[in-house]
Amino acid sequence: MGSPSGPDFSKTELIPAIAQDAATGDVLMMAWMNEEAYHETLKTNRAVYFSRSRQKLWRKGEESGNVQELKAIYFDCDADTLLLKVNQIGGAACHEGYRSCFFRKIDPATGQFSIEGERVFDPAEVYKK
């Protein structure tokens, strides 16, 4: 096995990127990165993803102001997944206004879900949609 020098975008154009709060360890979100987003993230020290729905780079916080300052970046043993440790500015990573995108907890016994946490902002006010 060779020594990879970073994530391997030759297998697939988009790889998963998990954002984790650098201070608390909370998982904030998962998004996709292409090679361009990865390099811009390294250059700017701000999280940049690739929006599959818009088919373009998504500079986290460009609309909401809730940017992610990069503190550290890791890649996994297969070089096809990234872990970004970030400082979440504005308190919310989720476009629905929650601190984390993982705010719905499923009860394995019933399949029912509950909401954990409070909204940090009102999406209708922030995104004006």
Side-chain angles (χ1 to χ4, degrees):
M1 302 189 89
S3 295
S5 59
D8 184 359
F9 291 96
S10 70
K11 297 178 197 176
T12 181
E13 184 178 321
L14 298 175
I15 63 174
I18 301 159
Q20 181 182 39
D21 186 293
T24 66
D26 292 342
V27 175
L28 299 175
M29 58 177 277
M30 180 278 191
W32 298 94
M33 269 194 186
N34 64 5
E35 195 165 6
E36 184 182 5
Y38 170 71
H39 288 295
E40 187 171 322
T41 296
L42 294 179
K43 181 180 175 186
T44 64
N45 281 318
R46 294 247 174 127
V48 179
Y49 302 105
F50 184 82
S51 170
R52 295 181 303 166
S53 61
R54 293 178 277 173
Q55 289 293 298
K56 68 177 193 169
L57 289 185
W58 161 37
R59 291 160 183 90
K60 180 68 175 145
E62 62 192 351
E63 289 184 50
S64 68
N66 296 315
V67 300
Q68 293 174 340
E69 293 178 334
L70 184 67
K71 296 299 179 185
I73 190 164
Y74 299 80
F75 63 99
D76 72 333
C77 55
D78 292 325
D80 63 2
T81 301
L82 291 166
L83 173 64
L84 285 71
K85 295 202 177 199
V86 301
N87 177 24
Q88 179 65 56
I89 305 296
C94 180
H95 74 281
E96 290 193 31
Y98 291 88
R99 173 169 158 59
S100 169
C101 292
F102 298 96
F103 61 88
R104 294 181 186 98
K105 181 178 179 183
I106 300 170
D107 181 335
T110 65
Q112 300 295 309
F113 75 90
S114 59
I115 303 292
E116 289 197 350
E118 300 293 323
R119 273 204 163 114
V120 176
F121 68 82
D122 179 355
E125 289 295 315
V126 170
Y127 299 110
K128 308 290 185 211
K129 294 179 183 178

